[in-house]
């Protein structure tokens, strides 16, 4: 069975067209047409673009475009959708699973930073949990003059007034 690229190349030769002619007629870059004829689908853009290129190029060459797209999908193992990203099954299988690569220095810096943050929080909480020391009242020596208490009596002290004298009423006798 012939590959997709061989079918495309033979059809182009049968039509007696060069890659430049095909590129001008389809408005597909020559590099892309070369990759299609070489079966280098993994070097092309996303599968949706590859399907479009195959359809346009097949129609230009007079081939059944739908059968060419179906042959492409079969050769690639179908399509797989991951979110908005569509790729061929062959590309998915060829891709290595991502490995977790963490530089030791970065991990150490994160650990040290987290340790310092935890210690700072513990230190702040331990200081706030102890009540502040109560200031002691100053010791007053016996020789120091005493100051009046700062309350209402200290500001308002009425002057003493003599008590009124009681006068006895005159008695009539």
């Amino acid at each position: 069975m012939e590959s997709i690229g061989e079918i495309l190349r033979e059809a182009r030769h049968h039509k007696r067209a060069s890659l430049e002619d095909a590129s001008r007629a389809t408005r597909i870059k020559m590099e892309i047409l070369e990759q299609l004829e070489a079966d280098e689908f993994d070097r092309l853009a996303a599968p949706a673009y590859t399907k479009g290129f195959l359809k346009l190029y097949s129609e230009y060459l007079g081939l059944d475009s739908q059968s060419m797209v179906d042959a492409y999908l079969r050769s690639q193992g179908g399509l797989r959708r991951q979110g908005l990203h569509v790729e061929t099954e062959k590309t998915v299988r060829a891709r290595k699973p991502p490995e977790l690569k963490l530089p030791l220095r970065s991990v150490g810096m994160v650990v040290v930073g987290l340790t310092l943050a935890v210690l700072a929080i513990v230190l702040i909480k331990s200081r706030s949990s102890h009540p502040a020391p109560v200031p002691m009242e100053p010791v007053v020596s016996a020789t120091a003059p005493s100051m009046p208490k700062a309350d209402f009596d200290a500001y308002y002290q009425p002057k003493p007034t003599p008590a009124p004298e009681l006068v006895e009423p005159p008695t009539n006798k």
Side-chain angles (χ1 to χ4, degrees), residues 52-127:
F53 295 146
L54 270 174
K55 184 176 178 180
L56 281 172
Y57 195 34
S58 299
E59 289 172 356
Y60 167 74
L61 296 174
L63 300 172
D64 181 18
S65 60
Q66 187 58 48
S67 66
M68 293 301 289
V69 169
D70 291 342
Y72 160 69
L73 292 175
R74 277 193 309 276
S75 73
Q76 300 300 307
L79 293 180
R80 177 186 275 185
R81 179 180 298 270
Q82 294 177 342
L84 296 176
H85 187 71
V86 178
E87 55 190 354
T88 62
E89 189 66 34
K90 184 177 179 181
T91 314
V92 172
R93 278 184 263 135
R95 186 180 329 119
K96 293 181 181 177
E99 295 180 16
L100 183 61
K101 295 180 183 178
L102 296 174
L104 187 59
R105 185 175 188 172
S106 298
V107 172
M109 296 296 283
V110 169
V111 168
V112 168
L114 289 174
T115 304
L116 290 175
V118 168
L119 286 175
I121 292 171
V122 168
L123 184 63
I124 290 171
K125 287 199 178 241
S126 68
R127 284 191 180 183

Side-chain angles (χ1 to χ4, degrees), residues 140-163:
V140 180
S141 66
T143 58
S146 64
M147 298 290 289
K149 255 173 111 180
D151 59 359
F152 180 75
D153 293 335
Y155 295 106
Y156 177 74
Q157 294 179 355
K159 294 183 180 179
T161 55

